[in-house]
Amino acid sequence: MFLAEDESVGSKLFTALQQDVVSELETRFAGAPCGFTAAPGRVNLIGEHIDYNDGFVLPMAIERYVVIAANRCEDPTRPFARIYSLDLDATIEIPLNAGAEPTMEGWGRYIEGVFSGFVARGTTIPPFDAVIGSNVPHGGGLSSSAALEVATATLLAEITGDALTKLEKALLCQRAEHVFAGVPCGIMDQYSSVFGEANQLMLIDCQSQDCELVPFDSSGVSVLITNSNVKHELTGGEYAERRSQCDSALAKIGIASWRDVSWEDVAAKQSELTDEEFRRARHVVTEIERTIKAADGFRNGRWEEVGTLMNASHDSLRDDFEVSCRELDVLVEIAIELGQEHGVIGSRMTGGGFGGSTVTLVEDAKVADVIAAIQQKYQEVTGLKCDCFASHPALGAHVIQTQP
């Protein structure tokens, strides 16, 4: 029997996932779990591509999780952990003394990076067998990789007794993504998966790494996440390219941090900036302002203002930061056209872009109708199917409690 620590993680999907993972562990590795952890994906409501620019972001943990169950290996001298993925039907072996550079391929790199972080802390990792299951959509911009990293870190802390703080855990997992997966992400993804709370948004100050919880009144509004089911294959390096453009624009503006840059500062230096640098700078400065205003709107239930800010955020990501794509634009256009009459408050792309998902605020009573309308119209326009689910802010990484 499984005990949810909070009602928000007690859904049928989450319970079924737990049962599948434990059943596979008992069948494949012949033992009950000595460690059993979960970590959620996340969706960012506003504040995109400014986490690595000292801005504010406003994410929430979603009710979709990576779950890991592990038991001790009978051979205490075995030099690796054996980990099986339910989703991929594949097994990998992670060296317990993982070094500072990756040796694994694919999804194993994320896990190896977390192991490496614990080894660097001087933590001894015992050999174990584990099963991983996930219902966080892959490739949808919902941070499935961060959820995997954070669930792994939570497991290693549990079975080793390493009492690292929440912030230390988030930073360890961020480093794993940087060094082992080669993605220079900001702190938002891992931070959200670690610090998530039920019915709370997280206003994260990416300069100080402080987090303020922002109440989300879930009594009448849901967050609708729509996966476009496209991920465009680009020439490579677009994420790093945007970051480089932001850095070069900031250097020309001559101010140490984007947090201290005003729109007037950007305008004054426009002649010295390339067109791309100017538009990237305009997005960063205006998105930081939009995020602060949106957080205040959520606190005070000013839904119309929040919706307007979300719509403007998408426009900026599409036109100034150029990380949207036609499919994401179509999804946002459909939602905005449905409008308040159909319970839609606001909509925008979320995540890194070039595909992935949109996030839309919808009145609870009209969620089902909005999903049906979006799916029908999206297929008519693009010929593609999209996947939708609604979520409220969920509990972050935790040890799953069980009883006989």
Side-chain angles (χ1 to χ4, degrees), residues 57 61 92-93 116 130 162 169 187 246 250 263 289 368 385 397:
V57 291
I92 58 174
E93 295 178 352
S116 172
D162 186 341
K169 184 191 296 185
I187 191 60
C246 291
L250 185 63
W263 169 242
E289 181 180 5
K385 293 183 178 180

Side-chain angles (χ1 to χ4, degrees), residues 86-301:
L86 270 175
D87 306 285
L88 301 175
D89 188 24
T91 301
I92 58 174
E93 295 178 352
I94 304 290
L96 301 178
N97 61 345
E101 299 293 334
T103 64
M104 307 294 297
E105 297 294 332
W107 60 283
R109 287 196 168 203
Y110 300 102
I111 298 174
E112 185 182 23
V114 176
F115 274 56
S116 172
F118 276 81
V119 171
R121 289 171 56 84
T123 303
T124 300
I125 304 172
F128 64 88
D129 298 317
V131 172
I132 296 175
S134 174
N135 59 22
V136 183
H138 295 279
L142 302 177
S143 297
S144 58
S145 62
L148 175 59
E149 292 156 357
V150 172
T152 301
T154 306
L155 177 74
L156 293 184
E158 175 71 3
I159 65 177
T160 65
D162 186 341
L164 75 173
T165 67
K166 285 187 174 183
L167 180 57
E168 287 172 336
K169 184 191 296 185
L171 292 172
L172 185 152
C173 292
Q174 181 196 30
R175 182 185 179 280
E177 187 109 7
H178 284 186
V179 176
F180 283 74
V183 179
C185 61
I187 191 60
M188 175 177 59
D189 296 353
Q190 292 80 11
Y191 203 111
S192 303
S193 188
V194 170
F195 282 89
E197 295 285 349
N199 297 320
Q200 301 282 343
L201 307 180
M202 291 167 279
L203 181 63
I204 303 172
D205 182 335
C206 297
Q207 185 180 57
S208 68
Q209 298 179 340
D210 291 334
C211 177
E212 176 190 347
L213 295 178
V214 176
F216 181 92
D217 182 4
S218 58
S219 60
V221 177
S222 290
V223 176
L224 177 63
I225 299 159
T226 303
N227 188 345
S228 67
N229 285 324
V230 297
K231 192 66 178 176
H232 290 286
E233 295 297 329
L234 303 169
T235 56
E238 282 76 14
Y239 188 102
E241 180 183 52
R242 296 302 187 280
R243 187 164 187 166
S244 175
Q245 290 165 345
C246 291
D247 290 344
S248 61
L250 185 63
K252 290 180 181 180
I253 292 168
I255 297 175
S257 170
W258 282 110
R259 285 284 287 282
D260 301 319
V261 178
S262 68
W263 169 242
E264 289 74 21
D265 294 326
V266 175
K269 293 288 187 176
Q270 183 172 0
S271 63
E272 300 177 31
L273 302 172
T274 68
D275 177 63
E276 284 183 340
E277 288 171 340
F278 175 73
R279 287 185 289 113
R280 305 303 186 248
R282 181 165 58 190
H283 170 73
V284 171
V285 170
T286 58
E287 186 78 348
I288 290 173
E289 181 180 5
R290 280 188 291 268
T291 305
I292 295 170
K293 288 181 177 179
D296 191 60
F298 276 108
R299 286 189 201 97
N300 296 285

Side-chain angles (χ1 to χ4, degrees), residues 73-80 96 127:
C73 169
E74 292 184 359
D75 178 6
T77 65
R78 198 181 73 184
F80 60 85
L96 301 178

Side-chain angles (χ1 to χ4, degrees), residues 60-71:
M60 69 179 215
I62 59 173
E63 295 165 323
R64 296 293 186 274
Y65 285 84
V66 170
V67 170
I68 308 178
N71 59 25

